[in-house]
């Protein structure tokens, strides 16, 4: 899926070799400031390395159209944007951006069930709590149906019980549809419970990679 060789970025990342497997749940852990989010952002060309090469399905990212890549590899930042309008508007806007066909309200309701957002589609999105907005944004990228989901602390605004429930549903969704999920998480419990592969970063270097 992803292969990284001799990557350097400022004084933030220095990765000699790294392989992130296809159709697996990969959890990236490490202390704050260790380079986890920077690595995630590089996987869909939001930023580019100073040196080295990142391959996606054996193709260097430098040879891929950025827009096309981001349709296949979608990233959810830790503080995702919420747009004016309803919950329905916010779900559909991802499909508009990626030029994919619209879906029925029934399909949208199924997405809300996956992210455990018990709200009506016509509710105003901006009035949601922080945790609800995070779940709405997660629903938006699930609806886009990418091959790869890049999630940066997707449950940071949730309490522990809700976090476990949401991540479990998300992991089940990805496994049933042969998706690749790459997730930065602050929670070692989440990483060890749901990850197929754990990558630990310290001071911008990979200090451990293990199969669970």
């Amino acid at each position: 899926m992803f292969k990284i060789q001799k990557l350097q970025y400022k004084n933030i990342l220095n990765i000699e070799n790294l392989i992130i497997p296809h159709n697996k749940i990969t959890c990236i852990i490490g202390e704050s400031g260790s380079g986890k989010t920077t690595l995630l952002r590089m996987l869909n060309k939001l930023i580019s390395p100073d040196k080295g090469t990142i391959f996606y399905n054996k193709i260097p990212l430098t040879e891929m159209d950025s827009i096309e890549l981001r349709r296949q590899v979608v990233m959810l930042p830790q503080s995702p944007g919420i747009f004016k309008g309803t919950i329905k508007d916010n779900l559909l806007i991802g499909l508009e951006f990626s030029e994919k066909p619209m879906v029925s309200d029934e399909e949208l309701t199924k997405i809300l069930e996956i992210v455990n957002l018990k709200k009506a589609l016509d509710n105003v999105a901006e009035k949601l709590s922080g945790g609800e907005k995070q779940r709405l944004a997660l629903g938006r990228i699930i609806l886009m149906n990418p091959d790869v989901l890049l999630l940066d602390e997707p449950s940071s605004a949730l309490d522990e019980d809700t976090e476990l429930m949401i991540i479990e549903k998300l992991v089940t969704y990805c496994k049933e549809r042969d998706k690749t999920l790459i997730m930065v998480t602050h929670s070692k419990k989440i990483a060890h419970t749901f990850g197929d592969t754990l990558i630990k970063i310290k001071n911008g270097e990979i200090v451990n990679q293990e199969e669970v």
Side-chain angles (χ1 to χ4, degrees), residues 75-192:
M75 180 170 174
L76 180 68
Q78 187 172 348
S79 299
I82 296 297
F83 300 90
K84 289 184 177 181
T86 64
I87 287 175
K88 179 177 178 177
D89 295 332
N90 270 265
L91 289 172
L92 292 177
I93 200 166
L95 296 178
E96 293 177 18
F97 286 157
S98 55
E99 298 182 349
K100 293 184 177 180
M102 297 295 104
V103 299
S104 67
D105 285 3
E106 182 181 3
E107 186 67 25
L108 296 180
T109 301
K110 289 179 181 177
I111 294 295
L112 294 183
E113 290 173 359
I114 291 174
V115 297
N116 198 42
L117 186 56
K118 299 175 182 178
K119 298 288 184 179
L121 289 171
D122 60 358
N123 280 19
V124 177
E126 291 175 300
K127 292 184 178 181
L128 298 175
S129 69
E132 289 170 338
K133 289 177 179 177
Q134 197 170 40
R135 280 178 274 167
L136 174 57
L138 178 58
R140 184 166 62 216
I141 72 162
I142 290 173
L143 188 62
M144 292 168 68
N145 195 33
D147 296 324
V148 182
L149 289 82
L150 305 176
L151 308 182
D152 188 8
E153 303 278 12
S155 53
S156 59
L158 307 178
D159 63 77
E160 185 175 356
D161 289 342
T162 305
E163 177 182 43
L164 286 169
M165 178 173 58
I166 298 300
I167 298 300
E168 182 174 16
K169 286 185 176 183
L170 175 63
V171 166
T172 299
Y173 171 87
C174 290
K175 286 184 175 290
E176 287 177 346
R177 292 162 178 79
D178 292 329
K179 303 291 185 184
T180 300
L181 173 59
I182 304 170
M183 174 170 56
V184 167
T185 178
H186 64 282
S187 170
K188 291 182 180 179
K189 182 176 182 179
I190 291 291
H192 286 277

Side-chain angles (χ1 to χ4, degrees), residues 190-204:
I190 291 291
H192 286 277
T193 301
F194 298 108
D196 298 313
T197 299
L198 301 186
I199 297 171
K200 184 175 182 179
I201 298 181
K202 185 176 183 180
N203 298 326

